[in-house]
Amino acid sequence: MIKSDQPKVSIIIDNYNYGRFLGQAIESALSQTYSNTEIIVVDDGSTDHSQEVIAQYDGKIIAVLKENGGQASAFNAGFAASSGDLICFLDADDVMLPERVETAVNLLAQHSQATWSYHQLGLMDEHGKLILTDSSTPQIYEFDMRSRMQQGSLKQLPLPLPGIVGLTFRRSHLEKILPMPESEGIALNDSYVQFVSCAIGPGVALSARLETQRIHGNNAYTQSANQSKVKAKIHVLTAYWLRINFPFVYPFSNCLFASGLGLSWRIKEDNEGLKQAIQDYQSMLSLREYPMIWVRAIYHALKP
């Protein structure tokens, strides 16, 4: 039974051609120990049997079927369809532990000043065999990175940021971020939401692993053979849109851009899209910003 004071939680599952995993992701969302939830499954124009899987859950989920537009567009569509007080995301190839939502709700209730929270992720292989799980007593850390980001630093987060799937947001917080810029592939997505969250509101981190990420050889970033190329593009494009939409953290945007620029030099990446993004960012710089950015870029280019 749902209590009147229980916040509603929207679980948004984004999917593109992961029909072989999607059912397990949906089942993990349906099996939460916290009852006041809505489950929104956004299919981003899949060409496999994903929509057949979604149809099996008619009446249990909210289905959003759209043309392919990339993961950022799926996040935007899912949020637009949601009505929860709290929002969390799940990739279609990952799964939630049963207590994931309940733990996040309680964490934010106990830390009322926090506008968002995050936890850590476990790992499993393609067949669901666990690779990395919890083995220690969970620790809780409050943090506020707003002033540090305005100074260009994000080096003292209490725990590694896990990707958007490990985050929970108060709706009022996420409304300041979404809709996010939509671009090809994973060029923004997780990093944009993470960094903006750090820039605009205090948070609380939990060391417990409440979701399990699946490593299956086709991951867009984790353990990808093209990780350096992807990272360079993510850093440059995220820096660009942070500077456009949240200019008060331009010192951090400059550091992030320098990291992506230096990495692109190191791997000799000549992708036209990345070149254009670099030019677009440079066009916003003042003369006094160039020296520090180039020094940082050279450092990242030479870093082993």
Side-chain angles (χ1 to χ4, degrees):
M1 182 176 178
I2 298 174
K3 297 179 180 179
S4 59
D5 60 344
Q6 281 187 325
K8 184 178 183 180
V9 179
S10 299
I11 303 172
I12 300 173
I13 303 175
D14 66 285
N15 175 72
Y16 177 67
N17 284 345
Y18 276 154
R20 64 192 187 280
F21 303 133
L22 180 57
Q24 189 175 359
I26 295 173
E27 289 292 344
S28 75
L30 289 169
S31 301
Q32 292 297 300
T33 57
Y34 188 82
S35 58
N36 192 12
T37 63
E38 65 176 8
I39 300 166
I40 301 166
V41 180
V42 183
D43 185 74
D44 190 39
S46 293
T47 57
D48 65 356
H49 67 291
S50 291
Q51 293 191 15
E52 296 174 17
V53 175
I54 292 171
Q56 296 173 10
Y57 293 92
D58 184 38
K60 297 181 179 180
I61 66 173
I62 299 170
V64 178
L65 310 180
K66 59 184 288 296
E67 294 182 358
N68 182 250
Q71 194 177 41
S73 72
F75 290 159
N76 290 339
F79 183 59
S82 72
S83 61
D85 306 296
L86 302 177
I87 314 293
C88 56
F89 294 88
L90 178 65
D91 290 339
D93 52 342
D94 301 335
V95 298
M96 292 179 161
L97 271 62
E99 66 275 15
R100 186 269 193 244
V101 169
E102 183 176 8
T103 302
V105 170
N106 291 337
L107 188 64
L108 286 171
Q110 293 162 11
H111 299 269
S112 58
Q113 81 292 343
T115 58
W116 63 293
S117 70
Y118 71 92
H119 58 260
Q120 300 297 278
L121 305 179
L123 297 176
M124 63 182 173
D125 65 16
E126 181 172 4
H127 308 291
K129 180 180 179 181
L130 295 176
I131 303 171
L132 177 64
T133 58
D134 257 335
S135 60
S136 58
T137 302
Q139 301 295 316
I140 298 173
Y141 305 89
E142 295 180 283
F143 62 92
D144 189 340
M145 302 303 297
R146 287 176 289 182
S147 63
R148 287 189 176 275
M149 287 195 72
Q150 291 177 37
Q151 298 166 12
S153 173
L154 191 59
K155 293 183 178 180
Q156 294 189 8
L157 275 169
L159 296 167
L161 286 166
I164 196 171
V165 297
L167 279 59
T168 303
F169 309 91
R170 298 191 193 277
R171 188 174 197 89
S172 58
H173 175 90
L174 199 55
E175 284 174 337
K176 299 174 183 177
I177 305 174
L178 299 185
M180 75 172 85
E182 298 178 5
S183 62
E184 179 184 355
I186 62 165
L188 289 173
N189 309 345
D190 291 14
S191 60
Y192 181 81
V193 175
Q194 291 169 340
F195 293 149
V196 175
S197 290
C198 289
I200 66 174
V204 56
L206 179 66
S207 64
R209 303 183 188 278
L210 299 178
E211 278 167 281
T212 307
Q213 182 180 17
R214 193 187 303 267
I215 306 301
H216 48 74
N218 195 35
N219 301 84
Y221 184 75
T222 304
Q223 296 189 3
S224 168
N226 296 317
Q227 192 173 90
S228 292
K229 292 183 179 182
V230 174
K231 185 176 181 180
K233 188 174 182 180
I234 287 174
H235 281 198
V236 171
L237 280 176
T238 303
Y240 174 81
W241 284 109
L242 282 175
R243 178 115 183 188
I244 291 291
N245 293 335
F246 300 90
F248 60 90
V249 291
Y250 78 87
F252 175 78
S253 300
N254 285 352
C255 292
L256 191 63
F257 172 71
S259 171
L261 178 62
L263 182 55
S264 73
W265 291 345
R266 174 149 56 91
I267 63 177
K268 297 180 173 60
E269 177 58 42
D270 60 356
N271 177 272
E272 289 300 322
L274 180 57
K275 285 182 178 179
Q276 185 61 54
I278 290 171
Q279 292 176 12
D280 290 343
Y281 193 91
Q282 290 175 329
S283 69
M284 297 185 289
L285 296 175
S286 65
L287 289 177
R288 67 179 180 82
E289 291 176 282
Y290 269 98
M292 183 59 70
I293 287 177
W294 281 89
V295 168
R296 288 181 178 273
I298 292 170
Y299 165 78
H300 287 288
L302 298 176
K303 187 169 67 173

